[in-house]
Amino acid sequence: MSLFLVNVLLALVWTAVTGSFSFLNFAFGFLLAILALSLIREQVGSVGYFSRARRVISLFLLFVYELILSAWRVATLVLSPQMVIKPGIIAYPLKLDRDFEITMLANLITLTPGTLSVDVSDDRRILYVHAIDASDPDTTRRDIAEGFERKIMEAFR
């Protein structure tokens, strides 16, 4: 059985024992289950579960950081008296090969202000990204590769 499922089941047991079926109580039970599973991680083989959870949280924190940073950049561009921008579409060569990973990368790029995933090539090797300021496409490619794509590869491989 998946350790995530065991974690959810333990959280549900917690909500049943306490008699409070609120989301906050479930989340607290989920955290207690994580603590309980971490105490017996070698016996149940959950070492990989916790390292993956840490990497997924790292990806989420990177997304929040990039969201704030890019929102600030877009606001600065829009509010400046002279909009000196060069919008364009950038072809980004993908290192990811699974559909889930490509979809996650495209969604993270789209959710970040100033960029939009336009299309994926038929062979799933190139992601086309529209950027509000594509004056330096190599920097944009490097930011995607060292940011979202690297974190996705760490979290899901």
Side-chain angles (χ1 to χ4, degrees), residues 47-61 155:
V47 176
Y49 174 68
F50 294 106
S51 64
R52 174 170 284 186
R54 202 172 344 173
R55 292 187 305 253
V56 168
I57 290 170
S58 174
L59 173 64
F60 175 74
L61 292 175

Side-chain angles (χ1 to χ4, degrees), residues 6 9 14 19 33 64 71 79 92 104 106 125 133 140-141 145 148 155:
V6 170
L9 289 174
W14 172 261
V64 170
L79 295 175
Y92 178 74
M104 178 170 275
R125 293 182 187 210
D133 189 16
T140 304
R141 286 186 196 101
F148 289 142

Side-chain angles (χ1 to χ4, degrees), residues 2-141:
S2 168
L3 287 173
F4 178 75
L5 184 60
V6 170
N7 202 348
V8 170
L9 289 174
L10 287 172
L12 287 173
V13 167
W14 172 261
T15 58
V17 167
T18 59
S20 173
F21 291 96
S22 67
F23 175 75
L24 192 58
N25 194 34
F26 177 78
F28 182 69
F30 193 81
L31 291 175
L32 281 178
I34 287 175
L35 179 66
L37 287 173
S38 70
L39 291 174
I40 59 169
R41 65 182 169 265
E42 279 108 24
Q43 289 80 14
V44 295
S46 63
V47 176
Y49 174 68
F50 294 106
S51 64
R52 174 170 284 186
R54 202 172 344 173
R55 292 187 305 253
V56 168
I57 290 170
S58 174
L59 173 64
F60 175 74
L61 292 175
L62 174 69
F63 171 68
V64 170
Y65 172 76
E66 289 290 331
L67 182 70
I68 293 169
L69 186 65
S70 63
W72 177 258
R73 286 180 188 157
V74 170
T76 304
L77 280 172
V78 170
L79 295 175
S80 67
Q82 300 128 345
M83 277 212 269
V84 184
I85 60 173
K86 185 181 174 188
I89 295 180
I90 299 167
Y92 178 74
L94 291 167
K95 294 176 195 143
L96 304 172
D97 55 358
R98 297 187 322 193
D99 288 338
F100 169 75
E101 295 170 340
I102 294 170
T103 302
M104 178 170 275
L105 177 64
N107 284 332
L108 289 175
I109 289 171
T110 298
L111 289 171
T112 307
T115 55
L116 176 71
S117 299
V118 179
D119 196 12
V120 178
S121 65
D122 291 334
D123 60 357
R124 298 183 320 179
R125 293 182 187 210
I126 297 177
L127 176 68
Y128 296 99
V129 178
H130 179 273
I132 195 169
D133 189 16
S135 56
D136 191 5
D138 291 330
T139 302
T140 304
R141 286 186 196 101

